[in-house]
Amino acid sequence: MRIIEEMRTAAREQKLSEPDELIGILKDRISEILQQGDSQLTWVGHTGTHVTLVAGVNGAGKTTTIGKLSSQLKREGRSVLLGAADTFRAAAVEQLVVWSERAGVPIVKHQQGADPAAVAFDATQAALARNVDNLIIDTAGRLHNKANLMEELNKIQRVIRKTLPGAPHEVLLVLDATTGQNGLQQARKFTEIVDVTGIVLTKLDGTAKGGIAVRSEERRVGKEGRSRWSPEP
């Protein structure tokens, strides 16, 4: 609503009337918002091992994202270790094992149904013992409206922090880019539980045109009830 009000003010002051001109103002304002603060992710730990925790709902693309990050970091000459803390979903550990083999990086895993926080603890201990550059920990996909599962995610973060002060250094929230307004609710809930430092938008190579990165509302409608202008996703 703040963005829309700023657009109205700019339209009055600049005497704008064409939709394209308004969309230009919208794009500029969103760009300004997204550029505020320090948005640079770090991959180097100040005291050794750098820990990245990856969270999100089931099906968002966490495992694939971890595989891509592992490959990229290894290509840069860094040593990488994976932690398979998604112990609830069937075949989740096996999927991460496949990605670890593709990337050529080791993995710490327990059997299905094990305590995720215990896996995170063991993975962090192993990374420190081996002097690994980057530890990436997968977490169980969980619905953001399940309080007990979300609290477990918080427990994983606490265990890592207790084992290695200052860790996790990055907490990435993986969102399906075609989710729409539900993505906003996911972001709200996850950031209440863990210290999210970055967002990964996945599945942008699909054909769906929906999606959300900055929340907006459209209020202007034409005679047929359709919006007269629509910001690009």
Side-chain angles (χ1 to χ4, degrees):
M1 295 304 295
R2 185 179 73 250
I3 294 174
I4 293 174
E5 187 56 40
E6 290 174 355
M7 290 175 62
R8 289 189 177 126
T9 300
R12 287 194 299 268
E13 292 176 349
Q14 301 177 34
K15 297 182 171 29
L16 304 180
S17 59
E18 296 298 322
D20 287 345
E21 296 174 317
L22 294 175
I23 292 176
I25 293 176
L26 175 63
K27 289 181 178 179
D28 291 342
R29 183 59 188 130
I30 289 176
S31 181
E32 290 174 7
I33 292 173
L34 293 178
Q35 289 175 7
Q36 292 179 3
D38 181 8
S39 60
Q40 187 70 37
L41 291 174
T42 61
W43 301 103
V44 179
H46 297 298
T47 58
T49 299
H50 180 283
V51 182
T52 301
L53 187 66
V54 182
V57 301
N58 278 330
K62 295 189 304 301
T63 308
T64 303
T65 297
I66 291 172
K68 292 178 177 179
L69 289 174
S70 301
S71 296
Q72 178 64 31
L73 290 170
K74 187 175 180 183
R75 282 197 298 268
E76 294 175 359
R78 303 184 63 76
S79 57
V80 181
L81 177 67
L82 303 184
D86 184 354
T87 59
F88 293 150
R89 183 170 60 88
V93 174
E94 288 78 2
Q95 288 178 351
L96 193 63
V97 168
V98 170
W99 278 109
S100 73
E101 293 173 347
R102 289 176 180 174
V105 300
I107 183 172
V108 173
K109 60 186 179 70
H110 289 190
Q111 63 184 5
Q112 184 176 338
D115 180 8
V119 179
F121 174 81
D122 287 348
T124 306
Q125 290 278 45
L128 293 174
R130 303 177 194 178
N131 197 27
V132 170
D133 293 325
N134 291 89
L135 169 62
I136 305 177
I137 299 178
D138 188 17
T139 62
R142 61 205 67 227
L143 294 175
H144 51 283
N145 56 3
K146 299 296 184 182
N148 59 326
L149 294 179
M150 292 295 284
E151 177 53 33
E152 184 181 83
L153 180 60
N154 186 289
K155 179 183 176 183
I156 292 174
Q157 180 177 250
R158 294 198 307 269
V159 166
I160 296 172
R161 190 165 292 162
K162 186 175 181 180
T163 308
L164 177 59
H169 305 92
E170 300 288 358
V171 178
L172 301 183
L173 173 60
V174 179
L175 296 176
D176 182 336
T178 65
T179 297
Q181 288 289 339
N182 189 253
L184 175 67
Q185 189 64 12
Q186 290 178 31
R188 282 175 172 165
K189 292 300 182 180
F190 275 95
T191 53
E192 289 175 0
I193 298 298
V194 289
D195 300 326
V196 174
T197 59
I199 291 179
V200 178
L201 295 177
T202 62
K203 308 184 183 179
L204 288 168
D205 54 349
T207 58
K209 295 185 180 298
I212 177 173
V214 176
R215 185 188 186 196
S216 65
E217 291 186 45
E218 298 180 13
R219 287 176 166 265
R220 298 179 58 197
V221 295
K223 294 180 180 180
E224 297 177 359
R226 295 192 297 269
S227 172
R228 292 175 58 186
W229 62 274
S230 177
E232 295 179 0

